[in-house]
Every structure is written in C-alpha cells, then in structure tokens.
Amino acid sequence: MGLNEKPLSTLHEKSSFNLEDFDVPSGREESWRFTPLSRLKGLHKGTAAAGHITVTVDAAPEVTVETVGRDDARLGQSFAPADRVSAQAWNSFEKATVITVPREAVASKPTVVTLTGSGEGAAFGHLLIKVEPMAEAVIVLEHVGSAVYADNVEFVVGDGATLKVISLQDWNDDAVHVSQHHAQIAKDATFKSFVVTLGGDLVRLSPSVTYTAPGGDADLSGVYFVDAGQHLEHRLLVDHSQPTCKSNVDYRGALQGQDAHAVWIGDVIIRVEAEGTDTYELNRNLILTDGARADSVPNLEILTGEVAGAGHASASGRLDDEHLFYLQARGIPYDEAKRLVIRGFLGQLIEKIELDELRERVFAKVEAELAR
Amino acid sequence: MSTLEIRDLHVAVEDKQILRGVDLTVRAGETHAIMGPNGSGKSTLAYAIAGHPKYTITGGSVLLDGEDLLEMSVDERARAGLFLAMQYPVEVPGISVSNFLRSAVTSVRGEAPKLREFAKDLKAGMDALSIDPAFAQRNLNEGFSGGEKKRHEILQLELLKPKIAVLDETDSGLDVDALRVVSEGINRFRGTGDTGVLLITHYTRILRYVKPDFVHVFAGGRIVEEGGPELAEKLEAEGYAAYTKDAA
C-alpha cells in the first residue's frame, strides 16, 4: 500500500503503512508543531524496540482474546497510519492483541486490558478490538508504569453494534506515550470513547473516527489534568464520509504548575457525500496557575451544504471569580471552593462514565490531582 | 445579640467612587430597608460588605460584633455570621444543590451535619419554600428561573442561620406568589428575634410582606434620609425624584 492520493480535505493529508512515506518530523509540520520532539525519546526517528510492554487482559466470558503475529490478516484493515510515529508503531510491533466480540453477543462485564510499562527503552504495540454486528461490549484500556510506547489501536464496530471504550492514561511521571485510536463505525453502529489522561511526561493521543455506512454515532469524551512540566496532547479527527452519521466531541482539562502544557486539536471533516451529518465539538480548559499553557484548535471543514448540524467551540480560561465568590460567600473556604468548582467542571464529563467503580476511581484520581 | 456597624464607608469600583460615607447600624431583632433609585450604590454596599473582589474599600469600617469584617476573607465573613442573598446568583456547573448546601452548612457550623439530620432540615426548608425536591440534585442555579434562584437564596438563609442577613433586591423579578413565599421565609428567619436584616430594594412592594423597623433612602452613594415605615409610604407615593435631583 503506497501513499494515498491527497484527499479533497486539507485536514487529513495523507496516510500510509510505509515508514519512508513520512519524513522524520522536524517540529515545523502542522501536526507536530505543538509536540516537544526532544522529549519523545526517539519515538519519531526510528528508535529500535528495546523496551517492553506487558499486556494482560481480563476478558468478559463472551469475548475471545488472541495474541497474534504481524502477519494476521485482520490487522490494519480499518485504518492506515497518518503520521510518522503511527507508521513506526505499525512497522515495529511484534505481537498484536486481538479482542473479538462475536456477532450478537452482549458482553456481561467490561473487558479490561492493562498495559504495563517496565522502564526504559522504546516499545511498540498493536491492539485490535473487533465488535461484530449487533454485539455490545465495554472495553477498558489501562496504561500504567513507566514506558516509551507507541501504538495503534483499532476499534472496528460492526453493523448495529455498540462499543464503549474507556482509555485511562495513568502512567508514571516519566512515561512517553504516542498513541493512535482508530474507530471504524459501520451501519447504525455506536461508538463511545472516554479518554482520561493524567500521568506521563508526554502523552500524545490521537483518536480518529471513520464511518463505512450511514447511521453511525460517535461520542468522544476526554478529561485531562496537566501538572507542572507535563505535556498532554489530544488530537481528534472525525471524518464524516457517509450520510446521516453523528459525532459529538467534548474534551475538558485542568492545568496547574509551571510548564503544564495541554494541546487539543479537534478536526472534523464533513465530505460532499456526508449529507445529513450532525456534529459538535467542544474543548474547554481551566488554567489554574501562571506558567501553564493550553493550545486549543478546533477545525471544522464542511464540504456539503446539507448538514443537520455542525458546530464547534473552544474556551480556555481561569477559574471564574464569580463562582468562587458565591461559594465563599456561603462560608466555604477558598481552597475548597476552588476544588468544588474544578471537580464540577470535570465532573460533568466524568459522570458520563457508566461503570460505577471506574467512575469513582477517576473521581478519586482527579481529587488526588487537586490535592497536589 | 449581634450588631453590624457600618462607619463612614467609602467604596470605589475601578477608580470610580461609588459609596461616599455610609453610616448604618443594624442590631439583632431589627429590619432595615435600604431604598433608592437605580445606580445609587445600594448593591455596592451589599457586595462591599460581603467582600466581593471587584470593590475597593477606600475608607471607613464595617464591624460585626466588634470584629473588623474588612480584614476578613469572603468566607471568613460568612463564617463570622454574615449572609448576602444575591440579586443575580451565579450558575456553577457540575455542583449539585445538595452538595453545595452540605459544604456550606459544614463550613459555617464548623462540623459536618449528620446526614439524616441534614436531609430532614433540607426537606423541611424546601417544603416551606415550595421548592420541588428534585431541585436538590440539579446543578447550582443552572437553568433556574428567576423565582427559583431567589427561593434557593432564602433556603440558604434559613439553613445557614447567619447573625446578619443582607438581602440584595431579593424581590426583583418575583411574581406575587413567589414574593409571598420568599417573604414568609424571611419572616421565619427574623422571627427568632436574634438576627438582623438589611433589606435592599428598589420597590416598596416587598415591604408590605416584610415590615421594616427603619427605612433609609440611598442616593449618590450615601444615606440621604432616614425614618420609620412611614418613609416607605412616602416613597411609594412620590418616588425618588426629589432625591435624584439632590444627588445630582
């Protein structure tokens, strides 16, 4: 597979499985200009796989889990890498994990995939989650430990199927993680993604969505908390190439401390053939201290005149003095008032996590961040 | 018995002098009405006493039972026994009314109320103000109607039981039924006799339900006339024209 022809859209420039189709990023490219390349520990320039990530799966009984080699024909059917690191991960992984939810099966419990890093050295991975027609499942991806890790994750959601994914980036402070999440949504399928990024020195997560037939529905939520020195980047791409599909993106973050850096890019393309598309994307950042920085760039490219709805919004700002005044005027001390407002701001999204245990865990982690 | 003493208070907003020497003493058991035309500085008085960061004190003092309120942070003032019912309560996303109220009660009382007791108090308070119980799970002031916001302010007043309550245009935007419900709440609060009320209003309407002991007319950033309830009746008949001319 060679370099695809450049599509009409300017937001999705090229994709290829060949590493040499992508130059080593210099930092001047639009897609790399926010990322501190010097902290990628070589992931973008062909570092050998010297590290290791342990993948363990606690699966629902209805679900099959396989570890497969590079030659498995099911891999790489739903996407093509769109940047250098994604192509590097595709060309460098040794074993892939394939999780299949069989046709019409309804998973009776969440399937938890734990990816544990064990220190120095780059590692590459590949994960395929395949939900066959009319099946339903919840998948939790948990990233823990120390790692220099690049991977591609494919979510293939069949006709009428429902997949809910919660991806928790809870790395140690020194971890570097560059990850692509590719969701391919078939006819009348539903995909809900909830990303929680808290740990790591540098995390760059790029969730993308494509549709193969009308009626698909994607809901992408994300919460991040950036501490001093951390770079947490989320780059979303929703490519509406089919009629009457929906997408909703809502990412919210809080930043505190010197050189805390959040980047959010939200690209939505509505192609000529995607009539009746309904899409909205939102990013909000709460900047809690001096020295923190949020870059937020929503891009909406509409190539048809027949949309049901299309909107985007981005807002980054400080805590609202009026909120704090109101709470303090009721006797609530400043620090607690602040904590309540931030918890409320992120909590509105966290409430959407349907798994009680995980939702409470995420709340507890956010509380812990606030207590720092 | 508590006393709020305001002495020669001068307040500026962004270098613009708004209050120009306010003197007022509110004692427990008393209800004072402050009336005046728009822009006379009534709300500035309320917010300055409560400690809103937008207002700069340029002179004078405010003492609650001898303690200097102006030296305290906003939350310390509230814990010292001051309450401000706001004209435009702000919407705070993601915080439920019940969580907010429990945090506020815990802060003001210095200890967390027993859960069962708090739930009982909350329900009784909401019933008394004809507030739908589902309200407790809604986000703070979010999507509340004007009347709901004001009822919720009075609910807080009754739960927090301050020594001195400043009510900033609590009557504005209320229909007659809501005005009656809210006034009954204020009357329950002051009925104990050991709390003072400073009622700021543009209209005399609420004073038919909440009878003041003293009426002060505010114009040009200070009190220009004082009297008993009869002064409100005079204002009802004659309006503020005489005072606005004076102030200008």
Side-chain angles (χ1 to χ4, degrees), chain A residues 345-363:
Chain A
F345 168 74
L346 298 176
Q348 282 188 306
L349 265 188
I350 297 171
E351 289 291 347
K352 286 170 68 175
I353 299 177
E354 290 167 24
L355 305 174
D356 294 344
E357 184 270 336
L358 196 67
R359 184 179 59 245
E360 291 314 311
R361 204 142 60 86
V362 171
F363 263 125

Side-chain angles (χ1 to χ4, degrees), chain A residues 322-323 326 328 330-331 333, chain B residues 52 75 79 84 91 153 156:
Chain A
E322 298 297 335
H323 290 166
Y326 189 78
Q328 284 187 270
R330 299 303 177 244
Chain B
H52 193 287
D75 47 293
R79 293 199 297 277
L84 168 63
E91 302 186 0
E153 293 294 290
Q156 295 171 53

Side-chain angles (χ1 to χ4, degrees), chain A residues 56-76:
Chain A
T56 55
V57 184
D58 176 13
E62 299 80 5
V63 164
T64 61
V65 181
E66 302 159 76
T67 302
V68 302
R70 296 185 49 81
D71 55 349
D72 192 290
R74 293 169 295 181
L75 306 180

Side-chain angles (χ1 to χ4, degrees), chain A residues 96-311:
Chain A
T97 303
V98 178
I99 296 173
T100 308
V101 189
R103 190 182 177 90
E104 293 179 23
V106 176
S108 56
K109 65 166 200 165
T111 294
V112 180
V113 183
T114 307
L115 300 104
T116 308
S118 51
E120 290 291 302
F124 299 94
H126 195 95
L127 197 57
L128 168 62
I129 319 280
K130 200 170 166 57
V131 186
E132 294 185 347
M134 311 308 287
E136 291 176 25
V138 176
I139 306 281
V140 179
L141 305 180
E142 277 206 67
H143 301 89
V144 294
S146 294
V148 179
Y149 185 51
D151 65 345
N152 291 290
V153 182
E154 297 180 74
F155 302 111
V156 179
V157 193
D159 288 353
T162 297
L163 173 60
K164 297 175 184 174
V165 174
I166 298 142
S167 183
L168 190 56
Q169 287 65 245
D170 195 19
W171 298 108
N172 291 351
D173 287 344
D174 58 351
V176 176
H177 184 204
V178 180
S179 183
Q180 285 71 33
H181 286 183
H182 310 276
Q184 188 189 67
I185 301 175
K187 186 173 169 49
D188 299 330
T190 300
F191 175 68
K192 285 181 193 282
S193 151
F194 201 106
V195 163
V196 180
T197 305
L198 302 171
D201 175 61
L202 189 163
V203 175
R204 177 179 149 124
L205 178 60
S206 307
S208 70
V209 172
T210 57
Y211 301 86
T212 60
D217 187 353
D219 186 276
L220 309 171
S221 304
V223 164
Y224 45 92
F225 202 110
V226 196
D227 291 312
Q230 272 188 310
H231 176 95
L232 303 183
E233 179 169 351
H234 298 90
R235 310 181 64 91
L236 290 104
L237 171 67
V238 181
D239 191 347
H240 280 280
S241 58
Q242 295 287 333
T244 60
C245 291
K246 287 193 221 173
S247 64
N248 182 54
V249 176
D250 188 347
Y251 269 62
R252 296 182 190 191
L255 297 81
Q256 69 181 5
Q258 189 61 40
D259 298 323
H261 191 195
V263 178
W264 181 85
I265 310 292
D267 291 346
V268 175
I269 309 167
I270 306 175
R271 294 179 189 273
V272 176
E273 53 275 32
E275 292 187 354
T277 292
D278 192 353
T279 177
Y280 194 80
E281 54 169 348
L282 171 70
N283 176 228
R284 291 182 65 197
N285 292 293
L286 204 46
I287 298 166
L288 302 174
T289 64
D290 289 335
R293 176 189 165 108
D295 288 292
S296 178
V297 188
N299 295 303
L300 179 57
E301 189 166 42
I302 307 178
L303 304 170
T304 174
E306 301 294 324
V307 294

